[in-house]
Every structure is written in C-alpha cells, then in structure tokens.
Amino acid sequence: MGNWTDLATLRKHLQAFDFDAIQVRFLEIVLPGSEQVQLPHNGLASGTVTVYTINASEPTGPDPLTLTGTSWHATGYDAFKPASVVVAEDDMPLDRYAEGADYAIENESARIKRLAGGSITDGATVQVWLLPLTALTEDVDYEIDTDTGVINRLAGGSLPDPARVYVSYDTTPARASEDLLLQAITEAEGKILARLKDGYDSSSDDDGLVIGATELALAIVCDDLAGGVLAGYHDSGADDRARRYMELARRYEERALYSLTPFLRLPPPAVAKRQQNPVAGAGW
C-alpha cells in the first residue's frame, strides 16, 4: 500500500478505460488443413468467440414470415451472412423492402422485425431470402487460443479441407493488472519522496500530495498500457489506441506536476510539448 495513493483509488480512475476493446463480426478467413491461422487480434474475451460456416451454396427462400408489431421474429437459423438478406412483398423479389427503413435485422441472432413508419403493414406476411450461417463447435470443429488469437481446423470435425469460416469475437479491454498498479504506485511515490522539501515526509497527508501521487501513478500506468497495445498483435487501429493512452499519460503527468510542485525541492522534469520551430525573419 502506498503512502498517498492505493489500488482502490487508481481503479476508480481506470474503470472507464474500456475503449481499447474491439468488436469483430463475421471476419471471413480460410482454414487449410490443421494449419494455425492468426486472427487480426489477440487477447480475445472469454465466451465471445463464435465461428460459423455456410452449408448452403445459394440463399434459402422464399420463406414466409409474418411480422407483427415491431417485435423481433426468429427465423430458426443460427445467424445470417451479412448483406445476404432480401425481404420482398411476394415470392418474386421484384418489390423489395428496404433494410433500415421497412425492416431491421440482427445477423448474430438471425432475427427480423418490421419498423414503424415503413412500408410493411402490421401483421403482413413477407417473403425472405437469406444465406444462413451454422455455428461450429469449439474443440470439435476447430480450436482457438484466445490469448494469442490463433485458430485452426480440427480433423474429424464437420469442416472440409480447406474451410471458409466466419469468426466473431470481442477483444479484452487493456486493463492494468494489480502488479502493474502496485509497481506504478511504488515508482510514483519513490519519485516524490526523493524530491520532497524539508518539512514533508512519507507521513505528510496534504491533499496536494495525495492527489499528485495518484495523478503521477496514473501517468505511469497509461504509458505502460500504450506500450502493451503496441506490443500485442498489431492491427490497423493499434497506433491510434496507443496514442490515446499516451495522451492520457501526458495529461496526468501535467496535472501531477501542477499538484506536486509546492511540496517538492526539485520539481519533476517538465513534460515535453510539441511546438512549431520559430520562423527566421527575412534579411541578413
């Protein structure tokens, strides 16, 4: 436990740091033989991975479906392939309804509902065409390592070789471990103790020391989280997410400097800032 800040305090500030979590839906990949395939992300959240396959070579339908009210109606399938659903007035799909205006779909739950104000009257029976997806069974059809984001087909399962599958998952938000938080507290308070003015020590309980220690520890945590994002499997958004953590680290460090300066013999080094190079005047 620190002199001025603690785990509980840091966690209160960090509890909203879930913006690093990513949702991936129906990522299309090919699994050849038993070869391991790397997904675009690692650190997949437990219980969020679903792998689908298409068993039909062409869309099903037309299937009649009666849409009453604006409630969701199940179609009996595991999921829809995105952009594969067609809803029409009759069994010749000439007069099609518009998704988002007349009806809405949920691809992952294979449900459809009519939208109020659209062209589908309440209680109307519409005709539906779609490409259904079938959910596969982990450790029977495929295996996946959620920590590394590596997936492979299993021989003896229902998948052909090679197999085209669709993968949905969430990544785990980049949360700081307890060890990282404790280390950040130790480092932040060590820096403060090394620079305290005479008259202050580890037992001082001034609000500025308490607040400043928390802010400096959070700056260290955010900086380490940025490094963790870049150290993982590098997807297209990693740079942006790391940059946001680095910006938070800079802001917390600036706040810590403001809070701690009255108590320090030697203030912490000033935070580096970007600025334009001066433009030299004309002439010699």
Side-chain angles (χ1 to χ4, degrees):
M1 193 64 66
N3 298 303
W4 298 297
T5 192
D6 53 35
L7 285 172
T9 303
L10 294 190
R11 283 173 174 156
K12 285 180 182 178
H13 287 273
L14 294 169
Q15 64 184 349
F17 283 16
D18 283 358
F19 57 71
D20 195 48
I22 297 172
Q23 289 187 337
V24 175
R25 295 294 178 262
F26 303 107
L27 173 71
E28 184 176 349
I29 61 173
V30 175
L31 301 179
S34 58
E35 180 181 334
Q36 291 186 327
V37 176
Q38 175 69 62
L39 296 172
H41 306 95
N42 54 18
L44 312 185
S46 177
T48 68
V49 179
T50 307
V51 182
Y52 304 93
T53 186
I54 293 180
N55 291 327
S57 59
E58 58 185 31
T60 64
D63 295 324
L65 183 65
T66 301
L67 302 180
T68 56
T70 55
S71 301
W72 287 105
H73 296 270
T75 60
Y77 298 106
D78 291 338
F80 304 144
K81 184 179 184 296
S84 74
V85 177
V86 172
V87 179
E89 184 176 355
D90 52 42
D91 58 7
M92 296 295 290
L94 300 177
D95 296 323
R96 301 184 182 186
Y97 294 110
E99 181 184 350
D102 302 319
Y103 68 94
I105 62 173
E106 281 188 347
N107 290 308
E108 288 183 278
S109 58
R111 300 191 299 174
I112 299 177
K113 72 174 181 179
R114 65 177 288 274
L115 294 176
S119 301
I120 303 175
T121 58
D122 189 0
T125 298
V126 298
Q127 303 297 324
V128 181
W129 292 258
L130 56 91
L131 268 175
L133 297 178
T134 301
L136 299 170
T137 303
E138 185 177 357
D139 297 328
V140 174
D141 301 310
Y142 69 94
E143 61 182 1
I144 186 166
D145 186 327
T146 55
D147 290 333
T148 62
V150 170
I151 183 172
N152 61 272
R153 169 187 170 276
L154 288 176
S158 63
L159 288 174
D161 179 16
R164 186 176 303 276
V165 298
Y166 300 84
V167 187
S168 294
Y169 58 83
D170 298 345
T171 63
T172 304
R175 296 190 177 97
S177 66
E178 182 172 313
D179 287 343
L180 173 59
L181 297 183
L182 290 173
Q183 183 64 30
I185 291 171
T186 299
E187 292 178 10
E189 297 196 346
K191 291 180 179 181
I192 296 170
L193 285 168
R195 294 178 170 86
L196 278 179
K197 289 180 179 178
D198 293 338
Y200 298 101
D201 56 30
S202 60
S203 63
S204 301
D205 60 357
D206 299 73
D207 288 344
L209 284 170
V210 173
I211 295 170
T214 297
E215 291 167 338
L216 189 56
L218 288 169
I220 294 171
V221 169
C222 290
D223 193 60
D224 286 343
L225 288 176
V229 170
L230 295 177
Y233 191 83
H234 198 78
D235 64 90
S236 60
D239 285 345
D240 182 61
R241 299 196 305 278
R243 190 177 298 111
R244 284 186 281 176
Y245 277 125
M246 292 168 66
E247 175 63 18
L248 281 171
R250 185 189 65 78
R251 291 172 58 189
Y252 275 124
E253 192 172 3
E254 288 179 342
R255 289 166 56 178
L257 178 63
Y258 180 83
S259 300
L260 293 170
T261 295
F263 307 95
L264 303 184
R265 181 178 65 255
L266 297 173
V271 179
K273 297 181 179 179
R274 293 180 180 178
Q275 61 183 21
Q276 290 183 327
N277 290 327
V279 179
W284 295 94

